[in-house]
Amino acid sequence: MSFTLWRHARIATMAPGRPWGWIDDGALLVQGHSLFWVGPQGELPAGLQPDTEHDLGGALVTPGLIDAHTHLVYGGDRAAEFELRLQGVSYEAIAKAGGGIRATVAATRAASDEGLFAGAAARARTLMAEGVTTIEIKSGYGLTEAHEARCLAVARRLGHELPLSVRTTSLAAHALPPEYEGRADDYIADASAWLAGQHAQGLVDAVDVFCDTIGFTPAQTERIFLAAKRLGLPVKLHAEQLSDQGGAALAARHGALSCDHLEHLSAAGIAAMRSAGTVAVLLPGAYYFLRETKLPPVAALREAGVPMAIATDHNPGSSPCLSLLLMLNMACTLFRLTPEEAWRGVTAHAARALGLHDRGMLAAGQRADFVVWDAEHPREIAYRFGHNPCRRVVRGGVQRMQS
Ligand code: DI6
Ligand code: FE
């Protein structure tokens, strides 16, 4: 098989062991979809004749970015709700009055398949223009068996039609649909039963629940987790976003890939996540947009050695954000991550949050997903905001055209 050489690069491999996994004058040798070799230019394996060569002129290269938490497939928008919140009405109050997530559910059910696909594809392309090569997409705005399957199918189709890897997550337990008012346990029983069909159709890679006062209880969460585990599907959780429900510890007991949000995470939750190897996915966009004041316990997570990922949480209600680069900056300014922690959060740790072992760093055997930037060092990219220095994206060894 033929080799492509990308040489004369400054590479932040994100491999463990040294800061940024840094290589000063590096090269990447790509074979097919994978990296065959990555290292200092002077140590290129002798005797290998690349068929194609690209001189990067000293440009910065990083792994392709991974957005490990999005709700990309939905109809409508919530700009009017934004205005209400600016007048002082809280996110919880809007949700309890039947707005919020339920408003998006109505708009999603009313949308055509093509409309849902077109809206999500446009959003995906915006993320991709900043170097995103892998994205997680949750359902959760359909809330019937057919509409949940439809949203997951749209997410799968994005992965087939765009040069983007998509991981799908079933989040039927996102909110109680109006048809089940006062019957949350019945809804959980039904939503648990839908998983088998979604799984049989190849629509689902993981299962999530919104465990909170305006979502579902820990007991209901556990019933969904048990249904997922019967199918061999990994679980994750929207945990401790608005209150401490002990959700993180519950998810960790079920070996969750990640717990996400975590502003109200307790010491017990951190200890459980550490023991289980669960990733903390931090979502500065939702924190900012809801004007939260309680910060996730970043210092304690760092101290415990819990890996931290950073994601957009793109959704129409709490984080209508389409810039993972902005999240890098906000993870530093709002949450006090170091630029390197934030970068690992959108690469190596984001891969781990999705249970993917073939990406997130640049090393032999990994997928050839990487980005060439107009920057000297990745810390510059965390420092600036509202700026997109992405110049080239290579995904699975193939250079993707930037639109
Ligand atoms: N937490 C969130 O921040 C989003 N979902 C969730 O469980 C918000 C979704 C929405 O408001 O539409
Ligand atoms: Fe979310």
PDB file of all heavy atoms in Angstrom, residues 32-65:
ATOM      1  N   GLY A  32      -2.858   4.333   4.013  1.00  0.00           N
ATOM      2  CA  GLY A  32      -4.309   4.106   4.033  1.00  0.00           C
ATOM      3  C   GLY A  32      -4.968   5.096   4.973  1.00  0.00           C
ATOM      4  O   GLY A  32      -4.715   6.296   4.907  1.00  0.00           O
ATOM      5  N   HIS A  33      -5.807   4.566   5.867  1.00  0.00           N
ATOM      6  CA  HIS A  33      -6.533   5.446   6.792  1.00  0.00           C
ATOM      7  C   HIS A  33      -5.748   5.742   8.063  1.00  0.00           C
ATOM      8  O   HIS A  33      -6.215   6.479   8.925  1.00  0.00           O
ATOM      9  CB  HIS A  33      -7.857   4.790   7.193  1.00  0.00           C
ATOM     10  CG  HIS A  33      -8.760   4.517   6.025  1.00  0.00           C
ATOM     11  ND1 HIS A  33      -9.129   5.511   5.146  1.00  0.00           N
ATOM     12  CD2 HIS A  33      -9.336   3.378   5.591  1.00  0.00           C
ATOM     13  CE1 HIS A  33      -9.916   4.988   4.210  1.00  0.00           C
ATOM     14  NE2 HIS A  33     -10.045   3.690   4.456  1.00  0.00           N
ATOM     15  N   SER A  34      -4.555   5.132   8.201  1.00  0.00           N
ATOM     16  CA  SER A  34      -3.877   5.176   9.508  1.00  0.00           C
ATOM     17  C   SER A  34      -2.519   5.835   9.447  1.00  0.00           C
ATOM     18  O   SER A  34      -1.919   5.983   8.386  1.00  0.00           O
ATOM     19  CB  SER A  34      -3.677   3.751  10.032  1.00  0.00           C
ATOM     20  OG  SER A  34      -4.881   3.073  10.053  1.00  0.00           O
ATOM     21  N   LEU A  35      -2.030   6.163  10.628  1.00  0.00           N
ATOM     22  CA  LEU A  35      -0.662   6.673  10.757  1.00  0.00           C
ATOM     23  C   LEU A  35       0.263   5.470  10.858  1.00  0.00           C
ATOM     24  O   LEU A  35       0.094   4.608  11.735  1.00  0.00           O
ATOM     25  CB  LEU A  35      -0.563   7.540  12.009  1.00  0.00           C
ATOM     26  CG  LEU A  35      -1.348   8.857  11.937  1.00  0.00           C
ATOM     27  CD1 LEU A  35      -1.507   9.465  13.328  1.00  0.00           C
ATOM     28  CD2 LEU A  35      -0.646   9.841  10.997  1.00  0.00           C
ATOM     29  N   PHE A  36       1.228   5.414   9.966  1.00  0.00           N
ATOM     30  CA  PHE A  36       2.186   4.319   9.981  1.00  0.00           C
ATOM     31  C   PHE A  36       3.352   4.661  10.903  1.00  0.00           C
ATOM     32  O   PHE A  36       3.906   3.815  11.589  1.00  0.00           O
ATOM     33  CB  PHE A  36       2.693   4.083   8.553  1.00  0.00           C
ATOM     34  CG  PHE A  36       3.656   2.942   8.433  1.00  0.00           C
ATOM     35  CD1 PHE A  36       3.199   1.631   8.379  1.00  0.00           C
ATOM     36  CD2 PHE A  36       5.030   3.172   8.379  1.00  0.00           C
ATOM     37  CE1 PHE A  36       4.087   0.574   8.272  1.00  0.00           C
ATOM     38  CE2 PHE A  36       5.922   2.117   8.273  1.00  0.00           C
ATOM     39  CZ  PHE A  36       5.448   0.814   8.221  1.00  0.00           C
ATOM     40  N   TRP A  37       3.688   5.937  10.917  1.00  0.00           N
ATOM     41  CA  TRP A  37       4.825   6.403  11.723  1.00  0.00           C
ATOM     42  C   TRP A  37       4.663   7.890  11.997  1.00  0.00           C
ATOM     43  O   TRP A  37       4.227   8.646  11.125  1.00  0.00           O
ATOM     44  CB  TRP A  37       6.128   6.139  10.952  1.00  0.00           C
ATOM     45  CG  TRP A  37       7.364   6.508  11.700  1.00  0.00           C
ATOM     46  CD1 TRP A  37       8.085   5.728  12.562  1.00  0.00           C
ATOM     47  CD2 TRP A  37       8.043   7.782  11.672  1.00  0.00           C
ATOM     48  NE1 TRP A  37       9.156   6.427  13.064  1.00  0.00           N
ATOM     49  CE2 TRP A  37       9.154   7.693  12.535  1.00  0.00           C
ATOM     50  CE3 TRP A  37       7.802   8.986  11.002  1.00  0.00           C
ATOM     51  CZ2 TRP A  37      10.029   8.759  12.749  1.00  0.00           C
ATOM     52  CZ3 TRP A  37       8.674  10.056  11.211  1.00  0.00           C
ATOM     53  CH2 TRP A  37       9.775   9.927  12.075  1.00  0.00           C
ATOM     54  N   VAL A  38       5.017   8.313  13.236  1.00  0.00           N
ATOM     55  CA  VAL A  38       5.034   9.734  13.595  1.00  0.00           C
ATOM     56  C   VAL A  38       6.286   9.968  14.421  1.00  0.00           C
ATOM     57  O   VAL A  38       6.561   9.204  15.353  1.00  0.00           O
ATOM     58  CB  VAL A  38       3.800  10.113  14.455  1.00  0.00           C
ATOM     59  CG1 VAL A  38       3.844  11.592  14.841  1.00  0.00           C
ATOM     60  CG2 VAL A  38       2.505   9.803  13.726  1.00  0.00           C
ATOM     61  N   GLY A  39       7.069  10.986  14.112  1.00  0.00           N
ATOM     62  CA  GLY A  39       8.274  11.237  14.905  1.00  0.00           C
ATOM     63  C   GLY A  39       9.074  12.395  14.362  1.00  0.00           C
ATOM     64  O   GLY A  39       8.639  13.092  13.438  1.00  0.00           O
ATOM     65  N   PRO A  40      10.272  12.600  14.956  1.00  0.00           N
ATOM     66  CA  PRO A  40      11.140  13.666  14.457  1.00  0.00           C
ATOM     67  C   PRO A  40      11.588  13.353  13.040  1.00  0.00           C
ATOM     68  O   PRO A  40      11.921  12.195  12.729  1.00  0.00           O
ATOM     69  CB  PRO A  40      12.326  13.645  15.429  1.00  0.00           C
ATOM     70  CG  PRO A  40      11.883  12.827  16.598  1.00  0.00           C
ATOM     71  CD  PRO A  40      10.849  11.875  16.107  1.00  0.00           C
ATOM     72  N   GLN A  41      11.566  14.370  12.230  1.00  0.00           N
ATOM     73  CA  GLN A  41      11.927  14.259  10.816  1.00  0.00           C
ATOM     74  C   GLN A  41      13.219  13.455  10.584  1.00  0.00           C
ATOM     75  O   GLN A  41      13.284  12.612   9.701  1.00  0.00           O
ATOM     76  CB  GLN A  41      12.116  15.699  10.323  1.00  0.00           C
ATOM     77  CG  GLN A  41      12.518  15.862   8.930  1.00  0.00           C
ATOM     78  CD  GLN A  41      11.328  16.321   8.087  1.00  0.00           C
ATOM     79  OE1 GLN A  41      10.217  16.487   8.565  1.00  0.00           O
ATOM     80  NE2 GLN A  41      11.581  16.475   6.846  1.00  0.00           N
ATOM     81  N   GLY A  42      14.235  13.741  11.436  1.00  0.00           N
ATOM     82  CA  GLY A  42      15.549  13.109  11.268  1.00  0.00           C
ATOM     83  C   GLY A  42      15.520  11.609  11.529  1.00  0.00           C
ATOM     84  O   GLY A  42      16.491  10.900  11.234  1.00  0.00           O
ATOM     85  N   GLU A  43      14.436  11.107  12.128  1.00  0.00           N
ATOM     86  CA  GLU A  43      14.388   9.675  12.460  1.00  0.00           C
ATOM     87  C   GLU A  43      13.429   8.903  11.558  1.00  0.00           C
ATOM     88  O   GLU A  43      13.024   7.780  11.884  1.00  0.00           O
ATOM     89  CB  GLU A  43      13.965   9.506  13.932  1.00  0.00           C
ATOM     90  CG  GLU A  43      14.987  10.093  14.886  1.00  0.00           C
ATOM     91  CD  GLU A  43      14.499  10.105  16.333  1.00  0.00           C
ATOM     92  OE1 GLU A  43      13.577   9.339  16.669  1.00  0.00           O
ATOM     93  OE2 GLU A  43      15.043  10.913  17.114  1.00  0.00           O
ATOM     94  N   LEU A  44      13.063   9.514  10.447  1.00  0.00           N
ATOM     95  CA  LEU A  44      12.162   8.821   9.498  1.00  0.00           C
ATOM     96  C   LEU A  44      12.708   7.442   9.157  1.00  0.00           C
ATOM     97  O   LEU A  44      13.899   7.319   8.886  1.00  0.00           O
ATOM     98  CB  LEU A  44      12.098   9.633   8.200  1.00  0.00           C
ATOM     99  CG  LEU A  44      10.886  10.498   7.957  1.00  0.00           C
ATOM    100  CD1 LEU A  44      11.102  11.371   6.734  1.00  0.00           C
ATOM    101  CD2 LEU A  44       9.643   9.640   7.770  1.00  0.00           C
ATOM    102  N   PRO A  45      11.884   6.416   9.163  1.00  0.00           N
ATOM    103  CA  PRO A  45      12.383   5.072   8.853  1.00  0.00           C
ATOM    104  C   PRO A  45      13.068   5.052   7.479  1.00  0.00           C
ATOM    105  O   PRO A  45      12.495   5.538   6.509  1.00  0.00           O
ATOM    106  CB  PRO A  45      11.131   4.201   8.856  1.00  0.00           C
ATOM    107  CG  PRO A  45      10.002   5.053   9.271  1.00  0.00           C
ATOM    108  CD  PRO A  45      10.456   6.466   9.418  1.00  0.00           C
ATOM    109  N   ALA A  46      14.257   4.524   7.453  1.00  0.00           N
ATOM    110  CA  ALA A  46      15.022   4.512   6.194  1.00  0.00           C
ATOM    111  C   ALA A  46      14.385   3.513   5.228  1.00  0.00           C
ATOM    112  O   ALA A  46      13.723   2.556   5.643  1.00  0.00           O
ATOM    113  CB  ALA A  46      16.460   4.112   6.484  1.00  0.00           C
ATOM    114  N   GLY A  47      14.571   3.761   3.958  1.00  0.00           N
ATOM    115  CA  GLY A  47      14.153   2.776   2.952  1.00  0.00           C
ATOM    116  C   GLY A  47      12.688   2.839   2.573  1.00  0.00           C
ATOM    117  O   GLY A  47      12.235   2.082   1.728  1.00  0.00           O
ATOM    118  N   LEU A  48      11.916   3.752   3.230  1.00  0.00           N
ATOM    119  CA  LEU A  48      10.490   3.862   2.853  1.00  0.00           C
ATOM    120  C   LEU A  48      10.336   4.969   1.824  1.00  0.00           C
ATOM    121  O   LEU A  48      10.717   6.106   2.065  1.00  0.00           O
ATOM    122  CB  LEU A  48       9.657   4.187   4.092  1.00  0.00           C
ATOM    123  CG  LEU A  48       9.142   2.993   4.864  1.00  0.00           C
ATOM    124  CD1 LEU A  48       8.322   3.450   6.057  1.00  0.00           C
ATOM    125  CD2 LEU A  48       8.288   2.117   3.962  1.00  0.00           C
ATOM    126  N   GLN A  49       9.796   4.632   0.697  1.00  0.00           N
ATOM    127  CA  GLN A  49       9.654   5.618  -0.383  1.00  0.00           C
ATOM    128  C   GLN A  49       8.213   6.134  -0.405  1.00  0.00           C
ATOM    129  O   GLN A  49       7.317   5.441  -0.897  1.00  0.00           O
ATOM    130  CB  GLN A  49       9.989   4.902  -1.699  1.00  0.00           C
ATOM    131  CG  GLN A  49      10.927   5.602  -2.677  1.00  0.00           C
ATOM    132  CD  GLN A  49      11.602   6.893  -2.202  1.00  0.00           C
ATOM    133  OE1 GLN A  49      10.962   7.944  -2.066  1.00  0.00           O
ATOM    134  NE2 GLN A  49      12.885   6.833  -1.974  1.00  0.00           N
ATOM    135  N   PRO A  50       7.965   7.341   0.124  1.00  0.00           N
ATOM    136  CA  PRO A  50       6.593   7.836   0.043  1.00  0.00           C
ATOM    137  C   PRO A  50       6.183   8.116  -1.402  1.00  0.00           C
ATOM    138  O   PRO A  50       6.995   8.541  -2.201  1.00  0.00           O
ATOM    139  CB  PRO A  50       6.622   9.137   0.848  1.00  0.00           C
ATOM    140  CG  PRO A  50       8.038   9.453   1.119  1.00  0.00           C
ATOM    141  CD  PRO A  50       8.883   8.278   0.777  1.00  0.00           C
ATOM    142  N   ASP A  51       4.928   7.840  -1.701  1.00  0.00           N
ATOM    143  CA  ASP A  51       4.418   8.090  -3.056  1.00  0.00           C
ATOM    144  C   ASP A  51       4.051   9.553  -3.226  1.00  0.00           C
ATOM    145  O   ASP A  51       4.107  10.094  -4.310  1.00  0.00           O
ATOM    146  CB  ASP A  51       3.188   7.222  -3.310  1.00  0.00           C
ATOM    147  CG  ASP A  51       3.513   5.771  -3.054  1.00  0.00           C
ATOM    148  OD1 ASP A  51       3.585   5.365  -1.862  1.00  0.00           O
ATOM    149  OD2 ASP A  51       3.742   5.052  -4.023  1.00  0.00           O
ATOM    150  N   THR A  52       3.624  10.172  -2.118  1.00  0.00           N
ATOM    151  CA  THR A  52       3.254  11.590  -2.160  1.00  0.00           C
ATOM    152  C   THR A  52       3.911  12.272  -0.966  1.00  0.00           C
ATOM    153  O   THR A  52       4.013  11.663   0.104  1.00  0.00           O
ATOM    154  CB  THR A  52       1.718  11.745  -2.012  1.00  0.00           C
ATOM    155  OG1 THR A  52       1.092  10.770  -2.838  1.00  0.00           O
ATOM    156  CG2 THR A  52       1.241  13.117  -2.391  1.00  0.00           C
ATOM    157  N   GLU A  53       4.316  13.517  -1.153  1.00  0.00           N
ATOM    158  CA  GLU A  53       4.924  14.269  -0.051  1.00  0.00           C
ATOM    159  C   GLU A  53       4.301  15.649   0.050  1.00  0.00           C
ATOM    160  O   GLU A  53       4.020  16.280  -0.965  1.00  0.00           O
ATOM    161  CB  GLU A  53       6.419  14.474  -0.306  1.00  0.00           C
ATOM    162  CG  GLU A  53       7.242  13.286   0.065  1.00  0.00           C
ATOM    163  CD  GLU A  53       8.740  13.643   0.163  1.00  0.00           C
ATOM    164  OE1 GLU A  53       9.079  14.758   0.623  1.00  0.00           O
ATOM    165  OE2 GLU A  53       9.529  12.800  -0.239  1.00  0.00           O
ATOM    166  N   HIS A  54       4.067  16.093   1.276  1.00  0.00           N
ATOM    167  CA  HIS A  54       3.587  17.465   1.501  1.00  0.00           C
ATOM    168  C   HIS A  54       4.563  18.139   2.458  1.00  0.00           C
ATOM    169  O   HIS A  54       4.805  17.612   3.552  1.00  0.00           O
ATOM    170  CB  HIS A  54       2.201  17.463   2.160  1.00  0.00           C
ATOM    171  CG  HIS A  54       1.143  16.757   1.370  1.00  0.00           C
ATOM    172  ND1 HIS A  54       0.421  17.374   0.381  1.00  0.00           N
ATOM    173  CD2 HIS A  54       0.681  15.485   1.433  1.00  0.00           C
ATOM    174  CE1 HIS A  54      -0.446  16.514  -0.135  1.00  0.00           C
ATOM    175  NE2 HIS A  54      -0.303  15.358   0.484  1.00  0.00           N
ATOM    176  N   ASP A  55       5.100  19.283   2.068  1.00  0.00           N
ATOM    177  CA  ASP A  55       5.956  20.056   2.975  1.00  0.00           C
ATOM    178  C   ASP A  55       5.063  21.060   3.706  1.00  0.00           C
ATOM    179  O   ASP A  55       4.449  21.922   3.071  1.00  0.00           O
ATOM    180  CB  ASP A  55       7.032  20.782   2.168  1.00  0.00           C
ATOM    181  CG  ASP A  55       8.030  21.466   3.090  1.00  0.00           C
ATOM    182  OD1 ASP A  55       7.671  21.762   4.253  1.00  0.00           O
ATOM    183  OD2 ASP A  55       9.170  21.704   2.638  1.00  0.00           O
ATOM    184  N   LEU A  56       4.981  20.935   5.034  1.00  0.00           N
ATOM    185  CA  LEU A  56       4.073  21.802   5.788  1.00  0.00           C
ATOM    186  C   LEU A  56       4.737  23.117   6.206  1.00  0.00           C
ATOM    187  O   LEU A  56       4.103  23.953   6.868  1.00  0.00           O
ATOM    188  CB  LEU A  56       3.511  21.047   6.995  1.00  0.00           C
ATOM    189  CG  LEU A  56       2.549  19.922   6.602  1.00  0.00           C
ATOM    190  CD1 LEU A  56       2.158  19.087   7.810  1.00  0.00           C
ATOM    191  CD2 LEU A  56       1.302  20.481   5.935  1.00  0.00           C
ATOM    192  N   GLY A  57       5.985  23.283   5.859  1.00  0.00           N
ATOM    193  CA  GLY A  57       6.650  24.573   6.089  1.00  0.00           C
ATOM    194  C   GLY A  57       6.686  24.982   7.554  1.00  0.00           C
ATOM    195  O   GLY A  57       6.622  26.176   7.864  1.00  0.00           O
ATOM    196  N   GLY A  58       6.751  24.009   8.454  1.00  0.00           N
ATOM    197  CA  GLY A  58       6.845  24.331   9.882  1.00  0.00           C
ATOM    198  C   GLY A  58       5.502  24.612  10.542  1.00  0.00           C
ATOM    199  O   GLY A  58       5.443  25.065  11.686  1.00  0.00           O
ATOM    200  N   ALA A  59       4.408  24.327   9.843  1.00  0.00           N
ATOM    201  CA  ALA A  59       3.078  24.606  10.421  1.00  0.00           C
ATOM    202  C   ALA A  59       2.765  23.652  11.581  1.00  0.00           C
ATOM    203  O   ALA A  59       3.320  22.558  11.677  1.00  0.00           O
ATOM    204  CB  ALA A  59       2.006  24.465   9.341  1.00  0.00           C
ATOM    205  N   LEU A  60       1.866  24.106  12.427  1.00  0.00           N
ATOM    206  CA  LEU A  60       1.432  23.308  13.572  1.00  0.00           C
ATOM    207  C   LEU A  60       0.438  22.232  13.145  1.00  0.00           C
ATOM    208  O   LEU A  60      -0.494  22.505  12.382  1.00  0.00           O
ATOM    209  CB  LEU A  60       0.759  24.231  14.602  1.00  0.00           C
ATOM    210  CG  LEU A  60       0.084  23.540  15.781  1.00  0.00           C
ATOM    211  CD1 LEU A  60       1.112  22.916  16.716  1.00  0.00           C
ATOM    212  CD2 LEU A  60      -0.792  24.532  16.551  1.00  0.00           C
ATOM    213  N   VAL A  61       0.648  21.009  13.660  1.00  0.00           N
ATOM    214  CA  VAL A  61      -0.293  19.902  13.415  1.00  0.00           C
ATOM    215  C   VAL A  61      -0.773  19.353  14.758  1.00  0.00           C
ATOM    216  O   VAL A  61       0.034  19.170  15.682  1.00  0.00           O
ATOM    217  CB  VAL A  61       0.382  18.780  12.593  1.00  0.00           C
ATOM    218  CG1 VAL A  61      -0.504  17.541  12.512  1.00  0.00           C
ATOM    219  CG2 VAL A  61       0.705  19.265  11.182  1.00  0.00           C
ATOM    220  N   THR A  62      -2.067  19.128  14.859  1.00  0.00           N
ATOM    221  CA  THR A  62      -2.642  18.480  16.056  1.00  0.00           C
ATOM    222  C   THR A  62      -3.560  17.344  15.604  1.00  0.00           C
ATOM    223  O   THR A  62      -3.924  17.288  14.422  1.00  0.00           O
ATOM    224  CB  THR A  62      -3.511  19.453  16.894  1.00  0.00           C
ATOM    225  OG1 THR A  62      -4.707  19.737  16.130  1.00  0.00           O
ATOM    226  CG2 THR A  62      -2.796  20.738  17.224  1.00  0.00           C
ATOM    227  N   PRO A  63      -3.987  16.488  16.539  1.00  0.00           N
ATOM    228  CA  PRO A  63      -5.018  15.511  16.168  1.00  0.00           C
ATOM    229  C   PRO A  63      -6.293  16.232  15.729  1.00  0.00           C
ATOM    230  O   PRO A  63      -6.538  17.379  16.137  1.00  0.00           O
ATOM    231  CB  PRO A  63      -5.277  14.748  17.473  1.00  0.00           C
ATOM    232  CG  PRO A  63      -4.058  14.977  18.310  1.00  0.00           C
ATOM    233  CD  PRO A  63      -3.548  16.343  17.945  1.00  0.00           C
ATOM    234  N   GLY A  64      -7.099  15.599  14.921  1.00  0.00           N
ATOM    235  CA  GLY A  64      -8.432  16.112  14.600  1.00  0.00           C
ATOM    236  C   GLY A  64      -9.209  16.303  15.890  1.00  0.00           C
ATOM    237  O   GLY A  64      -9.067  15.531  16.836  1.00  0.00           O
ATOM    238  N   LEU A  65     -10.021  17.348  15.925  1.00  0.00           N
ATOM    239  CA  LEU A  65     -10.769  17.628  17.155  1.00  0.00           C
ATOM    240  C   LEU A  65     -11.977  16.696  17.278  1.00  0.00           C
ATOM    241  O   LEU A  65     -12.571  16.282  16.272  1.00  0.00           O
ATOM    242  CB  LEU A  65     -11.246  19.077  17.181  1.00  0.00           C
ATOM    243  CG  LEU A  65     -10.197  20.165  17.011  1.00  0.00           C
ATOM    244  CD1 LEU A  65     -10.800  21.537  17.316  1.00  0.00           C
ATOM    245  CD2 LEU A  65      -8.991  19.935  17.883  1.00  0.00           C
TER     246      LEU A  65
END
